[in-house]
């Protein structure tokens, strides 16, 4: 059939010099068999999985959706925390909640990488590769959690670095919290691969993201059940410690579980089956242990005192070693041990008010003593103190501290209407030393809206206070007439000439119970 000495009409003969026509026959008209692609793989099987893994890592590492979302999450979280001093007890938890948006992007990218086999003619293109779908799934299962976890680590690391450089740092860092954010992104990647294999529709990935995202968003209402989710972002600094270590173990088990489920799509092989069984054996008790943590006790109606404080935090906030105190500028400041670095910041709001008070009356200045927002009912309400909260930085917090101090010095400590009184004008002038003077309003304290001031006053008192703040020599006139101005019987009308102010607005009268 050919002129080759062997006389074999094979692909080997054609490869060694036999001319082959376009119709597939040799030069003498005999048929020539083309080499089988199965016998000559494009890549040797040894190392194929590694090559696929490297390919997926490079592809994911250049994905603009992943890193664009990472940059957006970092920018948004940094913006949201811009007016709060860093608290390492709460910042990593808040950042982990925000990083769940990044985990959603990781899930989507991994899902698309796994399900690409069935799109746009890819089955025909992939048919000639030496590695099957199982190899490609394993490559994504190793590459996507690696890149996704790395992106979360970069975002969390940069955010915490920014927070550390933002000012005096309070609180204690729990290393399990940022690690949970990394594990959650790895879980999202493995889950995206599993969804891509078992539900290979383009809409499946976004639907899973929407469902899990909604549940995480509802975490404040989920109670202890929220610990069954990969992210539990609802927490306040005065709450009991979180089961963060147990929850991290649970999320890591979810990573293995999702990866095993994805691999089982290619057959019941021993290794993925063992991985699934082991992951379930770890995830179920770990999740149950985390979810068994008793939720924070809610306040109830009626009388409450220290005995009603959650026993897990009672000694921390009300025990004999709850506070560390310093005296600065004649004022005593007491903070919880982890919040001592904030004392100089409180002093920035207190010192201007204290300097405006006559030296002989500065004994009226109360102690500045930190208070928890969740357990306020355990405080001694008769104590000679004003109380900053568990966070600091927002202008409302500075306003509340200056307001409480000024009202305390003026003797205005009970709910009443202070319209028309001279001491109201002086009180607002004292507040204005540290914060803008406005009508009473709800202030944001520790992430919650607190009630308005117990003492009410109107626009007329605010207007005169602003005139007094702008008046030269106001401090000397206030000090000279302090005793007269601070008497409850001294009216605003009588105070105006003492303070060098003209009567520009009509004098208002109390609309409620007058202050005594």
């Amino acid at each position: 059939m050919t002129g080759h000495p062997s006389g074999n009409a094979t692909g080997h003969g054609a490869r060694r010099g036999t001319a082959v026509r376009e119709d597939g026959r040799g030069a003498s008209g005999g048929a020539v068999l083309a080499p089988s692609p199965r016998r000559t793989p494009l890549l040797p099987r040894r190392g194929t999985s590694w090559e696929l893994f490297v390919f997926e890592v490079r592809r994911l590492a250049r994905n603009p959706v992943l890193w664009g979302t990472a940059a957006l999450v970092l920018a948004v979280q940094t913006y949201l925390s811009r007016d709060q001093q860093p608290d390492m007890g709460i910042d990593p938890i808040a950042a982990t909640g925000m990083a769940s948006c990044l985990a959603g992007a990781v899930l989507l990218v991994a899902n698309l990488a796994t399900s690409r086999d069935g799109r746009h003619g890819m089955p025909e293109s992939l048919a000639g590769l030496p590695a099957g779908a199982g190899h490609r799934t394993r490559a994504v299962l190793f590459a996507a959690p690696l890149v996704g976890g790395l992106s979360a680590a970069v975002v969390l690391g940069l955010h915490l670095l920014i927070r550390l450089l933002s000012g005096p740092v309070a609180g204690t860092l729990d290393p399990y919290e940022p690690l949970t954010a990394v594990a959650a992104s790895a879980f999202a990647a493995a889950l995206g691969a599993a969804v891509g294999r078992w539900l290979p529709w383009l809409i499946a990935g976004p639907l899973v993201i929407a469902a899990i995202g909604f549940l995480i968003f509802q975490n404040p209402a989920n109670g202890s059940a929220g610990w069954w989710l990969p992210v539990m972002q609802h927490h306040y600094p005065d709450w009991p410690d979180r089961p963060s270590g147990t929850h991290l173990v649970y999320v890591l088990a979810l990573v293995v579980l999702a990866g095993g489920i994805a691999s089982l799509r290619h057959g019941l092989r021993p290794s993925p089956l063992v991985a699934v069984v082991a992951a379930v054996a770890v995830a179920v008790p770990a999740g149950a242990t985390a979810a068994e943590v008793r939720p924070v006790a809610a306040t109830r109606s009626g009388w409450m005192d220290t005995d009603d404080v959650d026993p897990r935090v009672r000694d921390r906030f009300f025990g004999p070693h709850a506070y560390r105190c310093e005296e600065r500028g004649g004022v005593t400041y007491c903070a919880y041990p982890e919040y001592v670095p904030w004392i100089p910041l409180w002093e920035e709001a207190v010192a201007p008010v204290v300097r405006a008070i006559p030296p002989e009356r500065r004994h009226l200045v109360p102690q500045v003593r930190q208070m928890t927002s969740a357990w306020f009912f355990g405080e001694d309400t008769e104590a000679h103190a004003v109380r900053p909260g568990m966070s600091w930085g927002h202008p409302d917090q500075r306003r509340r501290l200056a307001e409480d101090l000024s009202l305390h010095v003026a003797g205005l400590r009970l709910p009443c209407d202070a319209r028309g009184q001279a001491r109201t004008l002086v009180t607002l002038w004292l507040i204005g030393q540290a914060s803008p003077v406005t009508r009473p309003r709800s202030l944001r304290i520790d992430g919650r809206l607190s009630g308005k001031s117990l003492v009410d006053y109107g626009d007329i008192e605010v207007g005169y206070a602003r005139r007094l703040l702008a008046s030269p020599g106001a401090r000397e006139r206030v000090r000279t007439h302090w005793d007269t101005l601070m008497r409850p019987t001294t009216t605003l009308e009588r105070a105006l000439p003492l303070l060098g102010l003209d009567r520009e607005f009509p004098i208002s009268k109390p609309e409620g119970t007058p202050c005594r």
Side-chain angles (χ1 to χ4, degrees):
M1 294 173 59
T2 68
H4 196 276
S6 67
N8 292 332
T10 66
H12 294 289
R15 183 158 49 93
R16 293 180 182 178
T18 301
V20 182
R21 300 198 311 235
E22 293 183 1
D23 60 1
R25 296 183 177 274
S28 60
V32 179
L33 297 178
S36 172
R38 296 184 180 273
R39 295 180 182 178
T40 56
L42 298 178
L43 290 172
R45 286 192 178 274
R46 182 180 180 182
T48 300
S49 296
W50 172 256
E51 294 290 340
L52 286 172
F53 167 73
V54 172
F55 168 77
E56 293 294 351
V57 168
R58 290 175 177 172
R59 191 172 185 276
L60 292 169
R62 295 193 298 263
N63 191 290
V65 174
L66 182 63
W67 294 107
T69 305
L72 180 62
V73 167
L74 177 60
V76 171
Q77 186 60 34
T78 302
Y79 175 79
L80 292 177
S81 59
R82 70 194 184 283
D83 59 359
Q84 291 295 315
Q85 289 298 316
D87 183 347
M88 288 299 106
I90 203 72
D91 284 343
I93 299 172
T96 298
M98 196 67 196
S100 60
C101 299
L102 175 58
V106 172
L107 191 155
L108 180 62
V109 169
N111 175 260
L112 293 175
T114 309
S115 61
R116 79 166 75 96
D117 291 13
R119 300 196 304 270
H120 306 301
M122 287 300 292
E124 294 80 4
S125 301
L126 297 173
L129 294 178
H135 286 77
R136 296 191 292 275
T137 299
R138 285 194 293 274
V140 174
L141 282 175
F142 281 101
L146 174 64
V147 177
L150 178 62
S151 65
V154 169
V155 170
L156 267 293
L158 288 176
H159 175 68
L160 293 181
L161 178 61
I162 291 171
R163 297 297 290 151
L164 287 171
L165 298 176
S166 297
V169 179
T172 301
L173 174 65
D174 181 353
Y176 294 131
E177 297 293 354
L179 288 176
T180 300
V182 176
S185 285
F187 166 64
L191 181 60
V195 172
R197 280 305 180 210
W198 287 95
L199 302 172
W201 308 299
L202 285 177
I203 194 62
L207 285 178
V208 172
I209 294 171
I212 297 178
F214 176 77
L215 292 175
I216 292 176
F217 180 76
Q218 291 294 319
N219 254 340
N222 291 338
S224 296
W227 290 107
W228 289 103
L229 294 171
V231 172
M232 179 54 158
Q233 80 283 13
H234 186 52
H235 190 69
Y236 287 104
D238 48 6
W239 282 10
D241 292 337
R242 292 155 54 94
S244 54
T246 305
H247 189 239
L248 174 60
V249 172
Y250 168 70
V251 177
L252 290 174
L254 291 183
V255 178
V256 178
L257 177 62
I261 291 174
S263 297
L264 286 176
R265 184 66 177 86
H266 307 292
L268 290 174
R269 298 191 308 277
S271 54
L273 193 59
V274 169
V276 168
V277 172
V280 171
V282 173
V284 171
T289 300
E292 282 179 356
V293 174
R294 184 162 54 89
V296 177
T299 57
R300 55 177 173 78
S301 59
W303 176 259
M304 299 183 71
D305 55 22
T306 309
D307 292 337
D308 297 297
V309 174
D310 193 309
R312 292 171 291 180
V313 298
R314 186 181 299 146
D315 188 64
R316 174 185 172 190
F317 295 120
F318 301 99
H321 305 292
Y323 289 100
R324 292 184 182 174
C325 299
E326 297 179 8
E327 184 171 337
R328 306 171 69 95
V331 180
T332 301
Y333 298 84
C334 295
Y336 301 121
E338 296 176 352
Y339 293 84
V340 171
W342 285 359
I343 288 179
L345 303 179
W346 300 339
E347 186 185 18
E348 292 177 0
V350 170
V353 179
V354 174
R355 287 194 297 266
I357 299 171
E360 64 275 11
R361 292 292 180 262
R362 289 179 185 172
H363 64 277
L364 299 172
V365 175
Q367 184 183 83
V368 179
R369 191 177 184 88
Q370 192 174 15
M371 178 187 73
T372 77
S373 298
W375 320 111
F376 64 92
F377 48 83
E379 301 289 345
D380 181 4
T381 56
E382 301 298 325
H384 186 58
V386 294
R387 304 182 182 278
M390 300 295 294
S391 63
W392 188 258
H394 194 281
D396 282 3
Q397 294 159 334
R398 184 182 179 95
R399 161 64 187 254
R400 171 49 59 89
L401 186 54
E403 180 180 277
D404 288 351
L405 177 63
S406 302
L407 291 172
H408 194 101
V409 170
L412 297 168
R413 306 175 192 176
L414 298 175
C416 60
D417 192 319
R419 289 177 174 86
Q421 293 190 8
R423 60 177 173 170
T424 308
L425 173 55
V426 177
T427 299
L428 294 177
W429 176 78
L430 289 174
I431 294 172
Q433 307 300 315
S435 177
V437 178
T438 62
R439 284 285 305 276
R441 60 181 179 85
S442 296
L443 303 176
R444 183 164 292 279
I445 308 296
D446 294 348
R448 311 173 177 100
L449 278 177
S450 69
K452 295 191 294 185
S453 169
L454 297 177
V455 178
D456 196 14
Y457 50 87
D459 291 327
I460 292 175
E461 287 74 24
V462 171
Y464 280 121
R466 290 173 179 170
R467 297 296 189 277
L468 185 59
L469 286 166
S471 174
R475 180 165 303 197
E476 289 72 19
R477 289 191 289 271
V478 169
R479 288 184 176 183
T480 300
H481 302 288
W482 178 270
D483 292 339
T484 301
L485 294 170
M486 284 304 184
R487 293 194 189 106
T489 56
T490 304
T491 64
L492 179 58
E493 185 175 12
R494 182 184 174 189
L496 293 180
L498 297 178
L499 296 172
L501 298 178
D502 296 328
R503 180 169 177 171
E504 300 181 36
F505 316 111
I507 304 301
S508 58
K509 295 182 179 181
E511 298 178 2
T513 303
C515 295
R516 302 297 182 188

